[in-house]
Amino acid sequence: MDTWAPTDVPALEGSGPPLRLHDTATGRVRPTAPGPVATMYVCGITPYDATHLGHAATYLTFDLVNRLWRDLGHEVHYVQNVTDIDEPLLERAERDQDDWVVLGLRETALFREDMEALRVLPPRQFVGAVESIPEIAELVEKLVASGAAYRLDDPEYPDVYHDVEATGRFGYESNYDLDTMLRFSAERGGDPDRPGKRNPLDPLLWRMARPGEPSWDSGLGRGRPGWHVECAAIGLNRLGPQIDLNGGGSDLIFPHHECGALHAESLTGEHPFARHYVHTGMIGLDGEKMSKSKGNLVFVSKLRNSEVDPNVIRVALLDGHYRVDRSWTDDVHARGEQRVARWREAVELEAGPDASELVTKLRTHLADDLDTPGALAAVDAWAEEALTRRGTDTGAPQLARTALDALLGVRL
Ligand SMILES: Nc1ncnc2c1ncn2[C@@H]1O[C@H](COS(=O)(=O)NC(=O)[C@@H](N)CS)[C@@H](O)[C@H]1O
Ligand SMILES: [Zn+2]
């Protein structure tokens, strides 16, 4: 499916320190070390209730990674999926008497619009699960042939599962204990209690057709893919057996990215699938996690329709550190408004204090595990100085404007 429209990134002189990011698998902030082409797979939306501020915060985080790698001279091969077939989507379509395909298309179109408005750089490939079913089925057939996957001996629905023992490393990505894994598996789409599985945590690879459910023909028989294998197939087939970054919100740590790594590494024998597993904290509303089930969603499109400047949404969401669970509140929103107004005033001056120091600070803070609070404070300081003590450098306002755009995606 089509990706969204690109936005230009202005060139910025010089370059900063290597980007260091927290990696869930090792539990450490470590330097990323991509080759000339950095490879990044960030999980996309399940297209309903798009685009809420939780989605936006997560995609803005990986947009900063994209911008920083480019600032360091790398090309970025960015791939993102759309889970346009899955239980939650079918349930929502059922609830709203909607056609699940139409719902998916409508919400994906709104998501693209919101990403463009927020000036998130588009992935090179934006790939739906449905259009990928042939390649997903092919991957599952290979896993069955290798013995890593097995059919349940359930005569009615002989679904295909992946044996979590296949790589001997299951659990290295999340480092969760068994109880936590079982709880999250049950809460997030898994079926740990299904009788006949070798291990309760074995993830579903292929669900045989059920009456009333969409299904597709394949060498495995008529059915549809499991959730995790969609991302493994889409990522592997476009980015290769080892990638620089696999990203998403912290609710994807387990089972989603753990099982994705199992599928990929079972198939390729290469470990780790991703050199960095990067996860964002959850955005809440006034202290409650913002989630579809809670229905306490704030939508990017609603804010945009009430004339909120997308720069304000970006700055407000970047005010907290990406790994911290935090809330969208009226204060956070107001702070974003004030900041953008102040910064705009400063970059519109004829002259200001030298901004090369600001560029260095922005690069240094952002390279330090995306320390956006530090980065935004550095901009505040420069803007204050420009607006109070003025300055004589006539190139400074433009340099500041260019740095804000290239590194933070804020275009004033
Ligand atoms: N409240 C939230 N705060 C931050 N990120 C969130 C929040 N809710 C969802 N996300 C993130 O937004 C992305 C899309 O979420 S989603 O629409 O539920 N879709 C999925 O998780 C799957 N389609 C991934 S393959 C995921 O990375 C998820 O972790
Ligand atoms: Zn995914």
Side-chain angles (χ1 to χ4, degrees), residues 219-242:
L220 301 151
R222 210 165 164 75
R224 63 185 165 93
W227 170 28
H228 317 305
V229 66
E230 116 192 18
C231 287
I234 292 169
L236 281 171
N237 293 340
R238 288 159 188 79
L239 295 171
Q242 277 206 313

Side-chain angles (χ1 to χ4, degrees), residues 341-352 382-384 386-387 397:
R342 200 85 179 125
W343 294 359
R344 198 184 294 279
E345 252 185 282
V347 299
E348 283 171 355
L349 290 168
E350 295 301 309
W382 180 83
E384 275 323 294
L387 291 165

Side-chain angles (χ1 to χ4, degrees), residues 252-306:
L252 298 187
I253 291 175
F254 192 92
H256 190 51
H257 287 162
E258 190 77 66
C259 296
L262 170 76
H263 299 329
E265 293 173 17
S266 260
L267 188 86
T268 65
E270 306 227 7
H271 168 81
F273 168 55
R275 284 182 275 271
H276 272 77
Y277 291 93
V278 181
H279 295 102
T280 58
M282 291 290 112
I283 297 291
L285 180 64
D286 302 327
E288 286 272 307
K289 182 196 168 192
M290 197 176 288
S291 81
K292 305 172 176 179
S293 45
K294 287 201 176 70
N296 61 344
L297 304 172
V298 176
F299 293 97
V300 170
S301 51
K302 287 262 177 355
L303 292 174
R304 287 170 50 221
N305 295 340
S306 51

Side-chain angles (χ1 to χ4, degrees), residues 41-50 52-59 62 80-84 86 88 111 227-228 230-231 247-253 256-257 278-285 288-292 296-297 322 324-326:
Y41 184 89
V42 176
C43 284
I45 58 167
T46 300
Y48 69 94
D49 284 343
H52 62 66
L53 290 183
H55 295 145
T58 289
Y59 297 117
F62 295 105
Q80 184 176 122
N81 69 309
V82 179
T83 305
D84 54 359
D86 200 14
F111 174 73
W227 170 28
H228 317 305
E230 116 192 18
C231 287
S250 55
D251 57 332
L252 298 187
I253 291 175
H256 190 51
H257 287 162
V278 181
H279 295 102
T280 58
M282 291 290 112
I283 297 291
L285 180 64
E288 286 272 307
K289 182 196 168 192
M290 197 176 288
S291 81
K292 305 172 176 179
N296 61 344
L297 304 172
Y322 78 94
V324 174
D325 291 351
R326 56 206 192 279

Side-chain angles (χ1 to χ4, degrees), residues 109-233:
L110 180 57
F111 174 73
R112 285 194 195 88
E113 227 179 272
D114 292 334
M115 289 298 108
E116 285 171 13
L118 289 170
R119 300 187 49 255
V120 171
L121 301 174
R124 186 180 304 175
Q125 283 113 352
F126 188 52
V127 189
V130 172
E131 63 181 334
S132 312
I133 285 178
E135 65 184 271
I136 299 171
E138 194 189 327
L139 191 157
V140 176
E141 286 181 71
K142 285 182 188 153
L143 289 173
V144 172
S146 75
Y150 63 96
R151 270 203 193 276
L152 213 59
D153 58 2
D154 168 339
E156 205 184 2
Y157 300 118
D159 300 333
V160 183
Y161 284 84
H162 198 142
D163 185 330
V164 290
E165 305 298 328
T167 56
R169 289 196 176 94
F170 189 76
Y172 84 88
E173 177 266 347
S174 63
N175 299 295
Y176 289 155
D177 61 36
L178 182 58
D179 289 350
T180 308
M181 289 186 182
L182 288 166
R183 180 160 53 81
F184 281 152
S185 171
E187 280 172 16
R188 298 168 176 170
D191 56 357
D193 301 333
R194 175 132 187 224
K197 288 168 71 172
R198 287 183 193 161
N199 182 310
L201 292 172
D202 289 351
L204 177 76
L205 284 166
W206 188 261
R207 177 182 168 86
M208 300 306 282
R210 265 64 168 179
E213 278 187 14
S215 63
W216 287 264
D217 266 334
S218 82
L220 301 151
R222 210 165 164 75
R224 63 185 165 93
W227 170 28
H228 317 305
V229 66
E230 116 192 18
C231 287

Side-chain angles (χ1 to χ4, degrees), residues 24-42:
T24 301
T26 54
R28 292 195 351 261
V29 176
R30 303 177 9 250
T32 61
V37 180
T39 50
M40 170 161 82
Y41 184 89
V42 176

